[in-house]
Amino acid sequence: MPDDPRTLAVLTSGGDAPGMNAAVRAVAKVGAARGLRVVGVEDGYDGLIDGRFRPLTFDDGNGQFRAAAEVDRLSGLGGTTLGSARSPRFRTAEGRSTAAKRIEGMLGLVVIGGDGSLTGARALGSEHGVKVMGIPASIDNDIGCTSSALGVDTALNTIVDACDKIADTASSHRRAFVVEVMGRRSGYLAMAAAIAVGADGVLLPEHGRSEEAVLDAVEQLVRAGLGKAGDKRRVLVLKAEGVAIPCTKLVRIVEERMRALDATIEVRATVLGHLVRGGAPSYFDRMLGNRLGLAAVEALLAGASGEMVAWLATVQGGSRTNDPSIRRFPLDQVLDETAALLDGTSPVTQWRLRLLESVEGVLPL
Ligand code: F6P
């Protein structure tokens, strides 16, 4: 790949997220408009180590660049057209050194991904002086400094649609359902969706409950709703996958306990799994991807590096951009805030839980 300061590389890394393609589109379109050759890196950091590049622009013969035709349809495509991977090789100093050599001399690298991907981007900058700019992408919404990452809105719409469908059949048969949603270390998806679907309860890793306490909370909810004194047609509980007890085990034990009281009570489990990560991006994620992509290219052209562009920042500080809704934060601050989000010490996590508790009066747990 050319050792050329007019070349910009972009990669997607970690768990894919709807909206990643919209960000790739914006990087290609804006880069070409600003006189840059833009290349996509295939399969994240693995492809960078191997030097697997895909041109996203072409020279129009007048020394200018135009975005390739494939770029036009990217905004509305789910997943990531560049491919993604979790790269053990990149976790080694040798792997990162090989990767850095592949883009030596280029203007810089846009990294679209989550916590691990942004950690890798920071290492490329600190260890090899690579100019990097991060774009937050993680359906878990577990990235610091940004109120939303790419993929969150689409994932929530998918969960809401699934829960509405489940609530239909649950009400028809007067059943309880526990619906498990993704969110490896963060309960944000379960929390936000629970309010949106009018769930009767939500189970979050942030609650820090024991397995027995989780069982008791769900049993109590089912008893209140479907037991002798209960008047509900359905009980719907959302469970974040980070709550350790397997969904099927939870449901089996609660049903056994309830059956001891009333043999007609039925409790079912639905695990949404990777369904939550697929699908065409929503308007919001397309808009977010394009605006973050634009801001990332403009930041690198302005000489910034080692940062992430954040949407409606959740913390003070950072640098302004041409977009009033986007600020840039140093990757050190982003990754520190991400850790605080996940260990619960961040005011953002505490605010989100307080919001849920205020609604929890409606969500009797
Ligand atoms: O990090 C996003 C995420 O979707 C998590 O919610 C989920 O636990 C994980 O990725 C699944 O990873 P994989 O696709 O590698 O199984």
Side-chain angles (χ1 to χ4, degrees):
M1 192 38 60
D3 170 356
D4 168 5
R6 289 204 315 163
T7 298
L8 175 64
V10 56
L11 68 79
T12 53
S13 171
D16 64 311
M20 279 184 160
N21 284 324
V24 171
R25 172 194 179 275
V27 170
K29 286 278 193 181
V30 173
R34 301 292 199 280
L36 299 176
R37 172 192 295 107
V38 180
V39 293
V41 182
E42 295 184 341
D43 299 326
Y45 289 121
D46 260 359
L48 185 58
I49 291 170
D50 299 336
R52 285 187 279 121
F53 293 98
R54 183 193 305 170
L56 296 177
T57 60
F58 62 89
D59 185 329
D60 67 0
N62 304 314
Q64 294 304 311
F65 293 104
R66 305 277 297 277
E70 73 158 282
V71 166
D72 287 343
R73 64 194 179 91
L74 287 184
S75 271
L77 272 188
T80 163
T81 186
L82 292 179
S84 181
R86 291 189 164 96
S87 173
R89 287 190 292 166
F90 191 74
R91 291 199 187 93
T92 68
E94 183 192 354
R96 290 194 295 274
S97 175
T98 305
K101 287 190 179 68
R102 296 291 190 186
I103 49 176
E104 199 166 11
M106 288 187 188
L107 170 70
L109 172 67
V110 175
V111 174
I112 306 169
D115 184 14
S117 308
L118 297 173
T119 301
R122 179 175 62 176
L124 278 177
S126 60
E127 294 171 7
H128 299 283
V130 175
K131 304 292 185 204
V132 295
M133 193 57 59
I135 293 179
S138 169
I139 65 166
D140 300 358
N141 210 23
D142 56 351
I143 301 172
C145 301
T146 185
S147 57
S148 186
L150 288 174
V152 176
D153 184 68
T154 304
L156 283 171
N157 284 316
T158 298
I159 294 168
V160 164
D161 180 61
C163 286
D164 287 352
K165 288 179 165 74
I166 288 168
D168 288 346
T169 178
S171 301
S172 304
H173 292 268
R174 202 162 184 257
R175 283 172 172 162
F177 270 80
V178 179
V179 179
E180 181 179 290
V181 300
M182 275 192 163
R184 182 174 8 215
R185 299 177 297 171
S186 163
Y188 180 82
L189 284 177
M191 187 192 304
I195 297 171
V197 304
D200 299 286
V202 62
L203 300 170
L204 305 172
E206 290 86 349
H207 283 148
R209 281 199 187 106
S210 67
E211 182 168 303
E212 196 54 33
V214 168
L215 287 163
D216 291 346
V218 176
E219 179 194 349
Q220 189 182 342
L221 202 61
V222 176
R223 186 196 302 276
L226 302 182
K228 292 270 185 284
D231 62 350
K232 279 185 167 290
R233 287 297 309 174
R234 61 78 163 166
V235 169
L236 179 62
V237 177
L238 261 65
K239 173 187 176 292
E241 73 173 313
V243 175
I245 182 172
C247 201
T248 47
K249 176 183 177 185
L250 166 59
V251 161
R252 176 174 50 78
I253 293 173
V254 169
E255 186 172 73
E256 281 168 3
R257 291 182 181 183
M258 294 307 301
R259 285 269 168 98
L261 296 167
D262 177 344
T264 66
I265 287 183
E266 296 175 304
V267 188
R268 295 285 187 275
T270 300
V271 177
L272 296 182
H274 285 73
L275 185 74
V276 172
R277 223 162 67 187
S282 62
Y283 157 75
F284 181 81
D285 276 328
R286 299 182 197 200
M287 178 278 293
L288 185 61
N290 277 284
R291 283 170 70 170
L292 291 175
L294 166 61
V297 175
E298 289 187 335
L300 285 169
L301 284 169
S305 176
E307 296 177 327
M308 182 195 80
V309 287
W311 178 256
L312 298 184
T314 56
V315 295
Q316 295 303 314
S319 309
R320 298 167 65 85
T321 70
N322 293 330
D323 187 324
S325 300
I326 296 176
R327 297 177 72 79
R328 303 190 323 248
F329 291 88
L331 285 171
D332 282 338
Q333 183 178 355
V334 169
L335 295 168
D336 288 347
E337 176 59 20
T338 296
L341 268 182
L342 294 171
D343 70 18
T345 55
S346 161
V348 175
T349 303
Q350 290 158 22
W351 168 82
R352 285 171 174 169
L353 287 172
R354 274 199 306 276
L355 172 77
L356 185 70
E357 281 148 20
S358 67
V359 178
E360 211 161 353
V362 183
L363 285 175
L365 280 183

